[in-house]
Amino acid sequence: MNSVGPAPEPTSTWQELIGSRVELRLDGRLVRTGEVEDATQDSSVMWLRFDGNHGRQLVSRTDGYEVLPVS
């Protein structure tokens, strides 16, 4: 029997996600998946590192993104 856990919930505490893999979503749609490299103390900005040649992205809370931890 294969049990699927609950879907991950968006989090607003980006500081706690440093080193974790997350989904970056906008308007409910997946934008990218990456690892949180760093985040500001107030969780207003984070830096995501993406797989392959996609590099890094600075994400600001004011951009409207949701961040969901990936297990």
Side-chain angles (χ1 to χ4, degrees):
M1 186 160 158
N2 190 0
S3 177
V4 176
E9 292 291 323
T11 183
S12 61
T13 312
W14 293 352
Q15 182 76 29
E16 295 176 3
L17 295 173
I18 295 172
S20 300
R21 292 199 52 79
V22 297
E23 290 182 351
L24 185 63
R25 294 185 169 264
L26 187 60
D27 297 326
R29 291 185 291 188
L30 178 65
V31 175
R32 289 202 173 147
T33 302
E35 180 182 335
V36 179
E37 277 194 340
D38 205 356
T40 56
Q41 200 74 22
D42 64 357
S43 296
S44 63
V45 175
M46 76 164 63
W47 290 263
L48 291 180
R49 181 171 43 103
F50 302 109
D51 297 332
N53 293 329
H54 297 289
R56 296 173 61 192
Q57 180 176 348
L58 178 69
V59 178
S60 173
R61 180 168 308 283
T62 59
D63 293 335
Y65 287 107
E66 289 182 320
V67 179
L68 289 88
V70 176
S71 23

